[in-house]
Amino acid sequence: AQTVTQSQPEMSVQEAETVTLSCTYDTSENNYYLFWYKQPPSRQMILVIRQEAYKQQNATENRFSVNFQKAAKSFSLKISDSQLGDTAMYFCAYSTGTASKLTFGTGTRLQVTL
Amino acid sequence: SAVISQKPSRDICQRGTSLTIQCQVDSQVTMMFWYRQQPGQSLTLIATANQGSEATYESGFVIDKFPISRPNLTFSTLTVSNMSPEDSSIYLCSVSGGRTEQYFGPGTRLTVT
């Protein structure tokens, strides 16, 4: 069974600084997809970024980028120029395809401070 | 991305009763998913609802406890039956985005007393 591990329960970063959230996963599949979701206090789950395992290039979305290391089964999220609105729970998730369920990690609570 | 609404947004229910949660999408989607998020925890899939067929339940979740309907391509309901305090959670529906990502509704916060 696929598992997703987030080893940092909580992190804090100052506004305008850069922070990296860690995620590792375990799978025997060769084709799969990885995601980072953000859940602010409003509890709405928001897709931050996605990565296809078959792509070597790391995904980027504005201030958000990933470091995808397929051999190490590692998928970290880097947030640059952190903003107060980035304060949220961040979940790493795994899927094998369009009709497949998402398997979530336990989450990292990120606090952005002044 | 799809716009998803859920009703109710929150509810407080007595043990032994049932609550039906509605999920409405602004476009037709094939797959809808129901997740549970227990307090301070991550999300766990309850079941996958495909229009025109029975829902597929994950291990640990049964149809008698969490019956699901999927009458058309834009709507689904999840019922939490014979509730106990352990059912206090946030329940979220999601839809497949056409590629591999999923988009989530705002969630229903259920408290069972």
Side-chain angles (χ1 to χ4, degrees):
Chain A
Q2 294 82 12
T3 58
V4 178
T5 302
Q6 294 179 249
S7 58
Q8 304 154 314
E10 294 185 3
M11 294 195 71
S12 181
V13 63
Q14 286 193 321
E15 197 177 22
E17 297 296 307
T18 296
V19 64
T20 299
L21 308 183
S22 300
C23 173
T24 58
Y25 59 93
D26 187 25
T27 183
S28 57
E29 301 286 338
N30 192 45
N31 293 322
Y32 51 89
Y33 304 83
L34 298 164
F35 309 87
W36 279 97
Y37 281 87
K38 167 185 175 181
Q39 188 179 40
S42 66
R43 75 174 181 258
Q44 176 77 55
M45 291 288 286
I46 302 166
L47 177 65
V48 175
I49 199 165
R50 68 191 289 273
Q51 174 79 44
E52 297 89 339
Y54 61 85
K55 288 188 177 179
Q56 291 186 334
Q57 186 174 6
N58 289 323
T60 63
E61 287 287 343
N62 301 312
R63 297 183 295 109
F64 299 89
S65 61
V66 298
N67 183 4
F68 173 50
Q69 302 289 329
K70 190 172 183 179
K73 295 181 180 175
S74 171
F75 182 61
S76 61
L77 174 69
K78 185 172 81 171
I79 306 174
S80 303
D81 186 26
S82 296
Q83 301 175 358
L84 295 177
D86 294 333
T87 293
M89 280 291 288
Y90 286 81
F91 292 98
C92 179
Y94 165 101
S95 169
T96 56
T98 303
S100 300
K101 69 176 184 179
L102 289 170
T103 299
F104 287 88
T106 51
T108 296
R109 184 177 303 279
L110 177 66
Q111 181 71 47
V112 181
T113 60
L114 291 171
Chain B
S1 62
V3 176
I4 305 164
S5 60
Q6 285 186 235
K7 289 182 181 180
S9 60
R10 60 178 62 222
D11 207 342
I12 301 174
C13 302
Q14 291 193 338
R15 70 169 67 210
T17 63
S18 297
L19 176 71
T20 295
I21 302 168
Q22 300 179 5
C23 179
Q24 179 77 52
V25 190
D26 69 340
S27 58
Q28 293 184 339
V29 294
T30 304
M31 306 295 293
M32 295 181 78
F33 304 85
W34 286 98
Y35 290 83
R36 180 176 75 180
Q37 186 177 24
Q38 295 179 299
Q41 306 277 332
S42 186
L43 283 75
T44 301
L45 181 68
I46 298 171
T48 302
N50 197 358
Q51 195 270 337
S53 62
E54 294 288 327
T56 302
Y57 289 82
E58 294 295 299
S59 175
F61 297 96
V62 295
I63 188 171
D64 289 345
K65 176 67 175 177
F66 297 101
I68 288 171
S69 78
R70 183 78 202 275
N72 57 52
L73 291 172
T74 63
F75 187 79
S76 178
T77 66
L78 169 75
T79 298
V80 186
S81 304
N82 188 25
M83 289 184 284
S84 67
E86 291 71 34
D87 294 320
S88 296
S89 297
I90 297 171
Y91 292 86
L92 301 104
C93 69
S94 73
V95 303
S96 176
R99 294 195 295 176
T100 57
E101 68 277 11
Q102 292 180 20
Y103 297 101
F104 286 82
T108 295
R109 183 182 295 275
L110 170 63
T111 302
V112 183
T113 60

